[in-house]
Amino acid sequence: MEFALRHRFSQLGFITFFCLTATLFASAACLAETKGKFKPFYEEPKNPEYAEAQKTFRKEKLLESITQQWNASIIIPQDICVGFVELGQPNAVYVPETHRILFGYELFENLDERFQDVEADDDVRMEHIVGAMMFILHHELGHALVDVLSLPVTGKEEDAVDQLACLIMLNGGEDGEKAAASSGEFFRLLQDDDEDDSEKAWWDEHSLGKQRYYNILSWIYGSDPEKYANIVGEDGLPEERAARSVDEYTKMKAAWKKILAPHLIH
Ligand SMILES: [Zn+2]
């Protein structure tokens, strides 16, 4: 893999990118003591092609900045490690047995390849990649919180934690909103891999890529319909879904606020 773009990380300012979780549910109050911490790590990759990515992430303190925000916002009963590792497949996971959030170097490579197909501008492409990474890390945070805090979930947990990730992005200012859009684009690109319906993983616990794409479009639009009016239309969010987006966004925000309230640091 070619990591020619990595030096551009420093231009993106993504270290200051997310003061998100701390501000999302500002009204929450809790006097309980934090017993655990989110702890970042960067596993040394065996594949030399990932060495530069590891070095860059470490140098930019990518996970330190994210876990710092999480530690300042959320009370967890035990440590949760958050790290970059070689997973053997382009994926990110939360492992309940070890309380670890793992982001594969392979997924970073995959994001890089997918966005190369659709975005020629190096800086814009890197913004998309980092945006999608942030969304995915917050999606895994959702799984971790459901586990360690025994949060109630009815319906598909995958959709619920997509909601949480999107809410956090959409409450993170302009950069966060861009990150939400980038993650939507990523899911659209994912689905393009198998246009044939018979190839689609109907059985999978995740909603299909295109459904996740439209969900994210709907939530972005629902968060501010005036600002995002241009999302609605033939090439974007269909009118039928847009008509319900504000209600959808309002309800999911209220639900997550209530669910997380006892576990947030005031
Ligand atoms: Zn998931």
Side-chain angles (χ1 to χ4, degrees):
M1 176 176 42
E2 178 55 57
F3 277 106
L5 301 181
R6 301 306 163 259
H7 69 282
R8 296 181 190 278
F9 269 118
S10 56
Q11 298 167 12
L12 293 174
F14 65 58
I15 299 309
T16 53
F17 198 101
F18 292 95
C19 43
L20 304 176
T21 38
T23 55
L24 176 55
F25 304 113
S27 63
C30 188
L31 300 172
E33 267 182 41
T34 302
K35 292 178 187 154
K37 290 273 178 211
F38 293 98
K39 295 183 170 171
F41 70 97
Y42 303 84
E43 191 181 83
E44 203 76 45
K46 292 191 185 79
N47 184 339
E49 291 193 343
Y50 302 139
E52 195 174 339
Q54 191 248 20
K55 221 172 86 185
T56 308
F57 295 151
R58 188 191 282 275
K59 183 168 154 274
E60 299 289 345
K61 297 189 187 304
L62 174 62
L63 293 177
E64 284 83 346
S65 69
I66 294 170
T67 52
Q68 196 179 22
Q69 290 301 329
W70 294 355
N71 283 327
S73 320
I74 310 164
I75 298 154
I76 49 174
Q78 74 259 310
D79 290 346
I80 296 175
C81 293
V82 187
F84 284 101
V85 298
E86 276 176 302
L87 276 178
Q89 53 180 311
N91 207 353
V93 294
Y94 168 67
V95 185
E97 293 79 13
T98 52
H99 301 114
R100 300 207 307 168
I101 291 172
L102 305 175
F103 195 104
Y105 291 113
E106 298 91 341
L107 179 54
F108 176 65
E109 180 181 36
N110 186 272
L111 286 165
D112 196 28
E113 286 166 3
R114 285 181 191 280
F115 281 114
Q116 274 195 30
D117 291 342
V118 293
E119 183 53 64
D121 184 284
D122 288 352
D123 290 336
V124 177
R125 186 164 64 245
M126 190 49 75
E127 272 183 33
H128 282 319
I129 294 168
V130 174
M133 284 171 71
M134 292 303 118
F135 181 92
I136 293 164
L137 280 165
H138 283 81
H139 172 104
E140 298 308 331
L141 167 71
H143 283 308
L145 295 180
V146 167
D147 177 40
V148 302
L149 301 176
S150 301
L151 301 179
V153 179
T154 66
K156 290 164 91 169
E157 181 174 321
E158 293 298 337
D159 287 348
V161 299
D162 268 358
Q163 290 177 357
L164 178 66
C166 207
L167 279 169
I168 294 172
M169 300 293 107
L170 291 172
N171 284 269
E174 201 73 23
D175 286 335
E177 290 167 24
K178 276 192 200 168
S182 297
S183 57
E185 179 66 6
F186 170 60
F187 291 123
R188 191 183 67 78
L189 295 172
L190 262 186
Q191 196 62 47
D192 286 349
D193 280 355
D194 44 43
E195 275 303 320
D196 179 359
D197 278 358
S198 65
E199 298 291 318
K200 289 182 178 135
W202 301 106
W203 42 265
D204 196 66
E205 71 269 32
H206 297 86
S207 293
L208 296 169
K210 229 165 220 172
Q211 289 179 302
R212 298 175 85 181
Y213 164 66
Y214 283 118
N215 280 343
I216 290 170
L217 282 193
S218 178
W219 300 335
I220 293 173
Y221 175 71
S223 72
D224 193 340
E226 271 178 41
K227 184 173 180 181
Y228 295 110
N230 62 350
I231 285 181
V232 182
E234 220 166 275
D235 296 327
L237 185 67
E239 298 271 3
E240 294 91 325
R241 178 74 181 263
R244 297 194 303 276
S245 294
V246 172
D247 187 46
E248 193 182 344
Y249 178 84
T250 307
K251 278 183 179 160
M252 77 183 205
K253 184 168 180 174
W256 269 109
K257 183 172 176 173
K258 194 165 185 177
I259 288 167
L260 281 183
H263 309 287
L264 297 176
I265 297 166
H266 190 36

